[in-house]
Amino acid sequence: MPPEIMSENRQSQSVEDLEEEYYQISTDILQSFNKFRPPLNIFKLKEDVVRLLPYYKVGDRLSKEQSEELEALVNEGLIFVSRADQQVYIKHISFQLDLVLMDRHLTETEIADIFQTALTRRMEEFLDQPVKAVADKLQTDLLVFTEYLWQDFNRAKALSRRVHPKHTLANHSVNCGLVGMQLYIQNLPDDFRQGPKSRQTFDRVALGFFLHDVGMTKLAQFLRDKTQTLTSEERQKIAKHPLLGAEMLAKLDLKFPEVEQCVREHHERVGGGGYPQKLSGADISDLGLLCGLVDSFCAMLTERPYAKAMAPMAAAAALGGDSKYDPKYSKQLTQYLVNTRQM
Ligand SMILES: [Fe+2]
Ligand SMILES: [Fe+2]
């Protein structure tokens, strides 16, 4: 074997080894950094010895020339960041979520963390300020999320395991969005992708899960976050949130049937024992029933004023034994937990 080929082989193997601890930065990622003050330490590959040498240290400032040089080095594939800086990187990408779709060096778990961080922050912003401008930003982020899932439905599993343990309205909304999409995908017919409007439906269903409790924003903050048992008067006020939410959708430009079904029907129950409209049987949409199950399941996983947080399997078992929920969906929930060994 000629010596130059030998050294090339050795180099490519070694670069792979490096990738366990470092990942290569693409031009898209570089452009998302502050040009003169990148947010994390940067390393340059010294090709002849296949070693990464420190190139830039956080806190320093790059000159115009250095910044241009860095760009050229990135184009040549010589620039890396350390996986030890993962948290900084995750936070950085979470502000520009579409980078997730471009960065091939992130693992599924890292991506799940990015989505959870980004969507929770966006959800908090929206619930604080439930106006169209913020709804648009949420919708943009959710389009990245649905695009990521659309490319490979199996990706929903890793995401659905990211459940916030602490109850806040934003945490709960994100939990429902991540778990809800997994169950929804599990339920799709094999030829779903071929449908002419299937992608649109998919996007809107995600919006529905994330926004099902949007009507809670119309209630006083202390009611939303109250940790003691509610009085019957307070309960009556809260019982209005599905309708209050449905009324908000037009103004937010989100009045799609899928979103409306989630918002309006997630507290309706099979036998007519739910609220606000006491719908029963076929009057409740499939998506409304699924959203209702997902909502209850996610609520049971977090500590609530009247009950302790439950383990996923115990929560699913309780829902499976409750005739208020559609057995078709509660069985699928249990199946999913068994398959992914989340007990
Ligand atoms: Fe609700
Ligand atoms: Fe809810």
Side-chain angles (χ1 to χ4, degrees), residues 63-299:
S63 66
K64 191 165 174 286
E65 292 72 29
Q66 286 170 319
S67 156
E68 281 164 9
E69 184 196 57
L70 179 60
E71 204 181 324
L73 290 170
V74 166
N75 283 335
E76 289 174 51
L78 297 178
I79 293 299
F80 289 73
V81 295
S82 165
R83 289 200 187 265
D85 282 337
Q86 199 195 86
Q87 285 312 316
V88 183
Y89 191 62
I90 284 175
K91 195 164 172 224
H92 170 77
I93 293 219
S94 75
F95 281 100
Q96 240 182 302
L97 209 42
D98 50 343
L99 293 174
V100 165
L101 302 174
M102 298 176 203
D103 188 340
R104 273 183 237 111
H105 304 283
L106 290 165
T107 65
E108 250 193 17
T109 334
E110 285 163 356
I111 290 181
D113 283 340
I114 292 170
F115 274 119
Q116 191 196 36
T117 305
L119 294 173
T120 305
R121 191 178 49 227
R122 187 66 83 202
M123 203 68 215
E124 280 165 358
E125 187 188 357
F126 173 69
L127 293 170
D128 256 10
Q129 242 188 309
V131 296
K132 187 179 173 316
V134 188
D136 287 351
K137 289 194 215 164
L138 176 65
Q139 209 177 349
T140 306
D141 284 349
L142 284 179
L143 280 174
V144 179
F145 169 67
T146 49
E147 173 59 27
Y148 176 73
L149 292 183
W150 188 260
Q151 288 174 5
D152 180 355
F153 283 163
N154 284 316
R155 290 171 166 177
K157 286 200 188 83
L159 284 157
S160 66
R161 290 180 181 195
R162 284 289 177 287
V163 173
H164 287 294
K166 186 173 171 261
H167 176 84
T168 66
L169 188 53
N171 284 357
H172 168 71
S173 303
V174 172
N175 288 350
C176 288
L178 301 184
V179 173
M181 284 314 276
Q182 163 60 34
L183 288 181
Y184 176 71
I185 283 172
Q186 208 174 309
N187 231 338
L188 290 175
D190 290 341
D191 61 351
F192 176 73
R193 285 168 188 275
Q194 273 84 60
K197 296 215 168 154
S198 54
R199 179 58 202 271
Q200 192 183 67
T201 308
F202 191 75
D203 294 345
R204 292 175 178 181
V205 167
L207 272 168
F209 285 126
F210 279 88
L211 291 174
H212 74 280
D213 270 335
V214 63
M216 293 292 271
T217 60
K218 290 281 176 194
L219 302 173
Q221 182 83 32
F222 82 93
L223 260 186
R224 266 196 252 167
D225 299 335
K226 194 172 167 187
T227 48
Q228 291 92 36
T229 313
L230 298 167
T231 66
S232 72
E233 196 187 326
E234 287 168 343
R235 255 198 301 275
Q236 276 176 18
K237 279 189 184 155
I238 287 197
K240 290 186 182 147
H241 78 273
L243 294 181
L244 293 171
E247 283 166 18
M248 294 168 71
L249 295 179
K251 263 198 194 151
L252 297 171
D253 231 354
L254 294 171
K255 203 173 158 55
F256 309 121
E258 296 83 356
V259 182
E260 217 173 338
Q261 284 164 1
C262 288
V263 171
R264 230 180 240 285
E265 300 172 9
H266 70 277
H267 289 290
E268 302 290 353
R269 297 292 177 254
V270 173
Y275 64 86
Q277 299 191 85
K278 296 200 185 317
L279 300 177
S280 65
D283 290 337
I284 314 173
S285 65
D286 277 353
L287 186 57
L289 287 171
L290 176 60
C291 190
L293 179 84
V294 167
D295 176 46
S296 297
F297 175 67
C298 288

